[in-house]
Each structure stands twice: as C-alpha cells, then as structure tokens.
Amino acid sequence: MELDYKVGVLGAADVYRAFAVIQHVISDLDLDKWKALTATAELRHDWLVVKDTRGYICGLCYVFTRNRSVSERRMEIPIFASVSLFDEQGVARRLFEFAKARAKLEACSMIHFWSAGSRTWSSLAALGEACSLDDGLVYDLTTDSCNALHPILPVKM
C-alpha cells in the first residue's frame, strides 16, 4: 500500500528536516554547510524532496543537468535517498517520477544515477565540474520503459 506524499522542490521551511536525511548520505556535511548550500530558492531548486503527511522528509535527491554533446542533454543525480520504515519503495518511486518529469521539462534524453560511493562535502561542492560520467546507471528517457535502465560499463582498451 503506497502512502500519501507531497513531492516537490526543497522549501526554506524544510531545510532543517532535510538535514536529518542528507547527513546520512554525506557524512562530513555539518549544519552550517548545509544551510549555506540551501540558503536561497535558487540553490534549493535542484534539491527534490518527498514528504509524508506529517511533513517529514522521507526522500531527497540532488539533480542538475549537463550537456554531454551538442545534441545530448543529461540529468545527473549524484544523490538519491529514500528513507522510510514502511514504504521505502513508494518514496523512491515518487522521487524518481518527479526527477523524471523535471528531466523531461529540461529537455534531457537520459538520467544518470551516480553510484553510491562515498560522498564528502568537498565533492558535493564541485559536483557540476565533477567528472563522474563512467559509473552508475543511466535511464533512457527516449524509451521510458522498464528496460530503459542500463548500467554504465567501463570501456576495455
């Protein structure tokens, strides 16, 4: 049974609640750094959240777009967290659907979910420039089906 959720962009009133989730994903991120990272509406725009009926954050992801070539735009998702005692899959599904809708609005052809390696504040601070193109999973929005998720395999030379 999927529960009722509110899905959207991280709001100013939810920054502290979201910190309870993000501190488990990025171990060296302290509250002051988190507040700086989410200080304005523009900075919060790329943080997507799922809230339960009581307003608790139970899903959080960070998204940004990157042009891979002149004709290919891809949404990058280095952080994707679903934390629910009762409905983790439902939370993840709602978060994924919202990220997918955002990717389509931003004319992306793919969504790249980064592997869940260790995340530190220093790597998050430079995510836009990070070169993590060869790990994780890619969801192909042009097929948008169950078979659209593909692992990125290293190229053998």
Side-chain angles (χ1 to χ4, degrees):
M1 177 179 106
E2 193 168 303
L3 303 173
D4 233 5
Y5 299 106
K6 204 174 186 182
V7 184
V9 172
L10 178 64
D14 293 318
V15 167
Y16 289 100
R17 286 182 174 180
F19 181 69
V21 175
I22 196 66
Q23 70 181 2
H24 294 288
V25 179
I26 305 174
S27 58
D28 69 339
L29 182 66
D30 65 31
L31 184 57
D32 288 336
K33 290 176 185 173
W34 175 244
K35 288 191 306 188
L37 186 65
T38 58
T40 67
E42 183 178 350
L43 291 171
R44 290 187 303 275
H45 178 73
D46 292 335
W47 289 97
L48 311 181
V49 297
V50 176
K51 297 191 295 186
D52 66 14
T53 55
R54 295 172 302 188
Y56 292 110
I57 305 287
C58 45
L60 174 76
C61 76
Y62 182 74
V63 302
F64 65 94
T65 57
R66 176 184 286 169
N67 292 324
R68 295 236 347 180
S69 67
V70 174
S71 62
E72 183 183 309
R73 188 166 170 85
R74 184 162 91 172
M75 175 164 281
E76 301 289 339
I77 302 183
I79 296 169
F80 189 97
S82 171
V83 290
S84 172
L85 292 174
F86 305 106
D87 190 25
E88 189 172 356
Q89 289 182 350
V91 170
R93 185 174 19 267
R94 294 294 303 273
L95 193 57
F96 172 67
E97 290 298 325
F98 191 64
K100 191 165 75 167
R102 168 76 76 85
K104 288 179 179 180
L105 278 174
E106 295 189 18
C108 296
S109 60
M110 290 184 254
I111 299 174
H112 176 209
F113 292 89
W114 294 20
S115 64
S118 69
R119 302 281 183 234
T120 62
W121 165 250
S122 59
S123 66
L124 181 59
L127 275 180
E129 292 79 39
C131 193
S132 183
L133 302 175
D134 60 351
D135 73 335
L137 297 170
V138 171
Y139 186 88
D140 186 347
L141 289 165
T142 60
T143 60
D144 201 15
S145 70
C146 297
N147 298 321
L149 200 56
H150 307 286
I152 298 175
L153 302 173
V155 176
K156 304 250 186 205
M157 301 295 253

